[in-house]
Amino acid sequence: MFSLGVVHGQISKDFNWYNQETFRLYEEQNWIELVRVGKDALDAGHDFFYLQLRIGIAYFEMENYRIAQKHFNKAILYNRNDPLALEYLYYAYIFSGRKTDANVLFHRHKETLVKRKVENPLLFLKSIYTEGALKMNSENDNNIGNINFFHFGMEHQLGSRLNVYHGYSRLTQKYTELIDSISTGQGPPQSTFENVYKYAQNEYYIKGTIAITRGLELVPSYHIQSIHGVDEKFNNKAYHIGLKKSLDKFDLYTGYGNSQIDNNDQTQWTVGLTFYPEGNLNVYLQSNFTYHIEDREEGNPIFYEKIGFKAARNLWLEIHATLGVSRNIQEMDGFYLQNLPDRMTNRFGANALFPVNNHFKILGGFTIENREILETFGDYQLYTGFVSIQYIL
Amino acid sequence: MKAFLFVTAYLFIGFIYGQDNNALQTAFEESYSLESDANYDEAIQKLTAQYDPQSYETNLRLGWLYYLKGDFPESKMYYLRAMQLMPYAFEPKLGYAYPLASMGNWDEVMNLYEGILEIDPQNTLVNYRVAVIYYDRMEYDKAYEYAEKVVNLYPFDYDTVILFAWINLKMEKYREAKVLFNKSLLIVPKNESALEGMRLLK
């Protein structure tokens, strides 16, 4: 055994050895060993198309799509139109959620990828999204009704570098005012009248996702809310701009937002990081830090944490928490423009995502918000349940 | 005395040169024999023992032997030296393409071939190889352009006719593909590639 070990140790690992060994491991589909030997070969200064392609395929087969992308991108530097490398790269982008890069790649190599039976992702109407939510107050105050939320939106692909999402939302709430009739003391017993009021909020949201370079996206958005109260009518407006950079196992994010809510000026800065430990969407951890300032007063730091993981073949679960006092902030690239008059001190929630098939996705979730009434400092909870459906064309 | 010294020196140099030439010829001869036995390491050793960096032939031969051995970076290096020694020669360029192709670095191969075709647009070997590259890349329009040139010059060359037949099939020019598959069956009767193509056409 010892002598065998010595003989083994004397194997000269030259180019030929690495080339043959990585090919043998590729044929045997020994992906773990292929990655190890392939990295060794790169460290020894050997770098060529087939080596990068084999390492990329090994990572792809191990579902580490983010690292696979790196190797496929290097492979196509040696052979820019290779159909196999391009197809693998395209799906590595899709499976790791980098759809913007996939679109640009498809546009550049449309002829080759169509011949590889890749479906055209550059459709004018890409998807339809609808969401319904119900927010309930913990106070058991019959006078204040639940908040109903409805959203309908569409996603468009305009060319290869611009994706636009826009949608309409409506939020309604009823509340009842009890009016005691004036008693003269001599008439019939005192009675109470009810006045039911409806609060309605119509919203329009539009967001663009612009591919700047590979892995770099600019995300501007605009959100307008038109509010109809009992004796008031006014608009809230918000814009937000985000910049996202995808690295090997990380996405870095920075954003700036400004809004006018109830005629108060709101400004916020966000920095965030999403970590994909396995290089795919099976596990992801997202951390965002937002600093929000209302009317140039003292700012509030807000921390947002989310963990998502694939729990079953067609089920992803997410849990999330928001810590820090917040009010009138924009979330998810300005999709949500929070404008309840009370302060949220923290929020906890869970989501479940079911991709039914390649066209339908169902998302459901529940959150508990701990809130503080601005005037009285009284605490209460707001419970939200939502269901959304996305249809991808 | 001076004349004697000159003649002696001349004879001595001639002797050395003749000896060198003999040794080089023997090294080449032995390397051919070792190559046919697939003993590439020893074939390389025979030539490196007589290695002269200024020798185009030795560099070209070493490029080939290292290619056969599977040491593509070394092969590239010797072919590159041969290219530098004979910058107008196609031979080392065509050789240089072998290790590049084996490493899959086809973009470099294409640059090399495009350079050759600029000087010699009718070069049948290069036109054929470029057509094969485009065919593998599924760029059939471009493959057609290059293969057509070769098939017009060599209508009875099996490799070109069968390649052109497949290109036509992929471009959905079924009538032309059928004619070409039938022609290839005249050149190489019952060839499997043509029979498969004909099956697809039915």
Side-chain angles (χ1 to χ4, degrees):
Chain A
M1 285 299 283
F2 178 72
S3 66
L4 275 176
V6 171
V7 171
H8 181 73
Q10 285 173 341
I11 288 173
S12 154
K13 292 183 178 178
D14 57 5
F15 172 87
N16 196 14
W17 185 87
Y18 283 119
N19 188 27
Q20 290 185 3
E21 188 67 1
T22 51
F23 182 65
R24 183 183 67 78
L25 293 166
Y26 170 78
E27 288 212 307
E28 288 174 5
Q29 303 188 5
N30 186 347
W31 309 124
I32 295 171
E33 196 59 13
L34 174 49
V35 163
R36 194 189 63 75
V37 176
K39 276 182 178 173
D40 246 23
L42 290 173
D43 289 343
H46 304 296
D47 190 354
F48 55 102
F49 172 77
Y50 287 124
L51 178 66
Q52 294 286 2
L53 184 69
R54 285 169 203 157
I55 301 172
I57 291 173
Y59 275 117
F60 188 95
E61 293 296 331
M62 294 193 293
E63 297 188 354
N64 193 335
Y65 304 115
R66 287 189 160 246
I67 303 296
Q69 284 159 25
K70 191 171 77 173
H71 293 282
F72 293 136
N73 271 311
K74 283 183 181 169
I76 60 171
L77 288 179
Y78 290 115
N79 192 5
R80 64 181 175 277
N81 287 336
D82 183 74
L84 189 67
L86 289 171
E87 189 183 359
Y88 266 113
L89 178 59
Y90 177 81
Y91 285 112
Y93 280 144
I94 293 287
F95 295 153
S96 55
R98 287 176 61 174
K99 288 183 181 166
T100 309
D101 288 317
N103 289 341
V104 174
L105 184 81
F106 183 89
H107 180 72
R108 276 193 191 148
H109 300 276
K110 190 174 180 178
E111 202 182 325
T112 308
L113 290 169
V114 166
K115 283 176 191 155
R116 299 290 295 186
K117 313 279 185 216
V118 173
E119 277 185 37
N120 183 2
L122 306 175
L123 303 173
F124 173 70
L125 182 58
K126 284 205 76 167
S127 71
I128 295 168
Y129 179 80
T130 184
E131 182 178 321
L134 187 67
K135 284 177 183 274
M136 291 174 289
N137 196 314
S138 65
E139 288 295 279
N140 277 333
D141 185 345
N142 291 331
N143 296 336
I144 300 172
N146 297 328
I147 298 172
N148 300 301
F149 175 81
F150 170 76
H151 173 85
F152 177 82
M154 287 185 285
E155 181 193 3
H156 304 284
Q157 188 67 38
L158 306 173
S160 63
R161 291 185 175 269
L162 175 62
N163 179 283
V164 173
Y165 179 84
H166 64 136
Y168 163 79
S169 304
R170 183 173 171 82
L171 192 144
T172 55
Q173 186 177 28
K174 285 180 184 168
Y175 59 93
T176 312
E177 189 182 30
L178 299 176
I179 302 166
D180 295 335
S181 61
I182 297 162
S183 169
T184 57
Q186 292 166 36
Q190 184 178 312
S191 61
T192 304
F193 297 97
E194 276 187 1
N195 269 343
V196 179
Y197 298 107
K198 190 174 180 183
Y199 171 93
Q201 184 172 296
N202 293 304
E203 304 181 23
Y204 178 72
Y205 170 73
I206 184 165
K207 176 184 83 167
T209 303
I210 304 160
I212 300 173
T213 57
R214 192 170 72 213
L216 186 66
E217 289 172 7
L218 187 70
V219 189
S221 69
Y222 179 74
H223 198 145
I224 182 164
Q225 296 175 328
S226 175
I227 291 134
H228 297 255
V230 182
D231 49 8
E232 58 179 359
K233 187 179 174 185
F234 62 94
N235 291 342
N236 292 331
K237 291 173 189 169
Y239 68 85
H240 192 275
I241 189 155
L243 193 65
K244 192 174 105 177
K245 173 70 184 164
S246 290
L247 301 170
D248 284 354
K249 286 194 171 183
F250 295 94
D251 283 346
L252 300 177
Y253 178 83
T254 182
Y256 168 80
N258 185 271
S259 60
Q260 292 290 324
I261 297 176
D262 289 345
N263 290 320
N264 292 325
D265 186 61
Q266 318 286 332
T267 305
Q268 66 181 68
W269 290 269
T270 303
V271 287
L273 183 145
T274 308
F275 176 45
Y276 304 89
E278 294 178 2
N280 56 32
L281 297 175
N282 290 354
V283 185
Y284 46 94
L285 295 96
Q286 187 183 0
S287 301
N288 280 355
F289 170 73
T290 299
Y291 193 73
H292 171 251
I293 299 170
E294 182 165 4
D295 267 346
R296 296 180 188 171
E297 287 172 9
E298 201 177 328
N300 290 318
I302 303 146
F303 296 91
Y304 174 80
E305 292 290 330
K306 181 165 81 174
I307 299 171
F309 59 94
K310 188 178 179 180
R313 190 169 164 266
N314 272 341
L315 175 65
W316 270 259
L317 296 177
E318 291 178 338
I319 50 170
H320 58 91
T322 308
L323 306 172
V325 176
S326 64
R327 179 176 176 267
N328 295 339
I329 60 163
Q330 298 185 57
E331 294 180 293
M332 289 176 61
D333 291 315
F335 182 82
Y336 293 114
L337 177 57
Q338 307 287 4
N339 66 325
L340 285 177
D342 304 327
R343 279 196 285 254
M344 184 175 82
T345 50
N346 55 51
R347 176 179 61 189
F348 303 94
N351 301 327
L353 173 69
F354 310 90
V356 179
N357 55 37
N358 287 341
H359 294 289
F360 271 108
K361 281 182 187 172
I362 300 173
L363 179 68
F366 181 75
T367 59
I368 301 170
E369 294 173 25
N370 287 307
R371 289 192 162 264
E372 186 180 77
I373 300 166
L374 211 57
E375 293 83 5
T376 62
F377 297 103
D379 293 336
Y380 72 98
Q381 279 84 44
L382 198 62
Y383 306 114
T384 306
F386 77 92
V387 176
S388 69
I389 297 171
Q390 188 184 21
Y391 178 68
I392 302 157
L393 282 95
Chain B
M1 188 60 186
K2 273 185 183 174
F4 172 74
L5 282 175
F6 177 76
V7 170
T8 312
Y10 180 79
L11 288 174
F12 180 72
I13 291 164
F15 171 74
I16 297 288
Y17 180 75
Q19 244 192 353
D20 274 3
N21 245 350
N22 283 341
L24 195 63
Q25 282 171 12
T26 311
F28 266 73
E29 191 182 347
E30 285 174 342
S31 81
Y32 293 131
S33 163
L34 290 161
E35 180 195 330
S36 66
D37 295 339
N39 191 349
Y40 307 122
D41 280 327
E42 225 171 297
I44 288 165
Q45 269 177 19
K46 294 287 175 195
L47 290 179
T48 44
Q50 303 295 324
Y51 183 66
D52 172 8
Q54 296 306 311
S55 165
Y56 167 79
E57 294 79 10
T58 314
N59 281 305
L60 189 80
R61 180 97 185 104
L62 282 169
W64 173 246
L65 288 169
Y66 272 112
Y67 167 70
L68 290 178
K69 190 193 161 195
D71 193 339
F72 305 133
E74 283 292 302
S75 169
K76 274 172 64 184
M77 190 187 76
Y78 284 107
Y79 274 127
L80 202 61
R81 278 189 196 160
M83 281 160 66
Q84 285 161 351
L85 291 167
M86 292 276 188
Y88 297 109
F90 287 166
E91 200 176 39
K93 289 176 182 156
L94 293 172
Y96 188 62
Y98 285 125
L100 288 176
S102 296
M103 295 161 93
N105 301 354
W106 291 102
D107 282 5
E108 268 187 272
V109 176
M110 285 298 277
N111 289 340
L112 206 65
Y113 286 161
E114 279 165 10
I116 293 172
L117 289 176
E118 265 179 35
I119 301 162
D120 180 10
Q122 298 299 319
N123 190 307
T124 47
L125 176 65
V126 175
N127 274 304
Y128 172 77
R129 287 187 185 173
V130 171
V132 172
I133 294 170
Y134 279 127
Y135 181 83
D136 286 342
R137 287 180 171 180
M138 304 166 90
E139 294 178 52
Y140 304 121
D141 291 354
K142 288 180 184 166
Y144 186 96
E145 189 188 317
Y146 289 90
E148 191 187 25
K149 271 188 195 175
V150 189
V151 93
N152 283 338
L153 292 169
Y154 293 91
F156 205 65
D157 176 67
Y158 168 73
D159 289 335
T160 317
V161 171
I162 196 74
L163 172 68
F164 200 46
W166 278 105
I167 293 167
N168 274 278
L169 179 73
K170 296 286 184 186
M171 292 174 78
E172 299 177 2
K173 293 179 171 185
Y174 299 124
R175 194 177 57 80
E176 290 88 342
K178 193 175 178 180
V179 171
L180 288 159
F181 281 129
N182 278 320
K183 272 192 185 190
S184 82
L185 286 165
L186 296 178
I187 309 166
V188 181
K190 294 174 187 170
N191 77 77
E192 200 45 51
S193 179
L195 293 174
E196 192 193 332
M198 293 296 270
R199 274 196 295 274
L200 290 173
L201 282 168
K202 277 178 187 169

